[in-house]
Amino acid sequence: MGRGAYALARVAVIVRAPARWLWWLGLLSAGIGVLVPGLTGRRIGVSAGAALFIVGGALAFRVHQRRYAELARGASRAGRAVFLQDRAVTLRSWRRGRRWWLLAAFPVALASSLLVPAAAGLALAGLGAGLWAKALWLGGLERREGALLWVRPEWVKGSPAGPSVRGYLTTGLAAGDALPGGARRRGGTAKAGGTAVSGAR
């Protein structure tokens, strides 16, 4: 990275980073949990889990949504001396610091099935679904504006829309190796190791 250059990570990729983990760990723990009668019984547990799935998904989708929109409206164009982080690098960096609490959620959800079968697992799956939906919503913003949203990784303290984030930067839709919404781009323009520099204007 040259003098004055700095790294940028895709906002939508960070948002969707935990979604798959939460979805599959939640479904797995719910599937195992439903085999346990539990204190409340399976019917009540699954009914409660369905409600928690909806509530968790809605919360994950709505939290900071207005802040995301404000940051997107105020985004400025990225300069040429930027280092566009590969999608895989962004996912790996996010998970490296948080994998233990993601993995810890699985046994906790399983243990809760002794009380309310499958409920906690479905709640986890709902959170994953809500984050996935938020990434798709961000993808819609990016398509409408014709620009991808990026953030400096060192500003992200938990959420890419948290108070430590000073603003977003944008590139053209062809930059990097992730599509609007954060999905992997087949035959993307980012070079190996994330060396694409302000990849598309």
Side-chain angles (χ1 to χ4, degrees):
M1 198 180 301
R3 182 178 297 178
Y6 51 89
L8 294 176
R10 281 290 303 286
V11 175
V13 171
I14 298 172
V15 169
R16 69 190 289 155
R20 182 173 295 180
W21 281 61
L22 290 169
W23 173 258
W24 288 113
L25 289 176
L27 289 185
L28 180 60
S29 62
I32 297 172
V34 81
L35 302 176
V36 181
L39 187 64
T40 63
R42 295 186 183 92
R43 183 176 178 181
I44 293 176
V46 172
S47 297
L52 289 173
F53 179 94
I54 294 170
V55 171
L59 285 175
F61 180 76
R62 293 291 297 174
V63 68
H64 294 318
Q65 192 176 37
R66 184 176 297 178
R67 169 77 169 155
Y68 281 103
E70 290 173 354
L71 288 167
R73 284 195 298 270
S76 57
R77 196 73 176 180
R80 293 192 176 276
V82 295
F83 179 89
L84 301 184
Q85 197 174 84
D86 284 353
R87 180 179 185 273
V89 174
T90 301
L91 292 174
R92 188 164 58 246
S93 298
W94 193 95
R95 289 168 182 160
R96 186 183 298 124
R98 299 164 178 86
R99 64 181 180 270
W100 293 117
W101 70 257
L102 283 171
L103 292 174
F106 179 68
V108 170
L110 278 180
S112 72
S113 291
L114 296 173
L115 298 175
V116 189
L122 288 173
L124 284 180
L127 290 174
L131 289 173
W132 198 278
K134 180 179 284 184
L136 295 178
W137 172 77
L138 283 168
L141 285 182
E142 291 176 324
R143 287 188 179 92
R144 286 193 296 275
E145 296 299 323
L148 300 178
L149 297 171
W150 301 78
V151 65
R152 294 182 65 158
E154 66 270 20
W155 291 352
V156 180
K157 310 298 182 184
S159 168
S164 59
V165 175
R166 302 174 193 173
Y168 291 162
L169 295 166
T170 65
T171 64
L173 291 177
D177 64 348
L179 294 167
R184 184 167 63 89
R185 188 195 305 275
R186 297 189 182 278
T189 59
K191 299 179 177 65
T195 56
V197 178
S198 201
R201 283 264 168 190

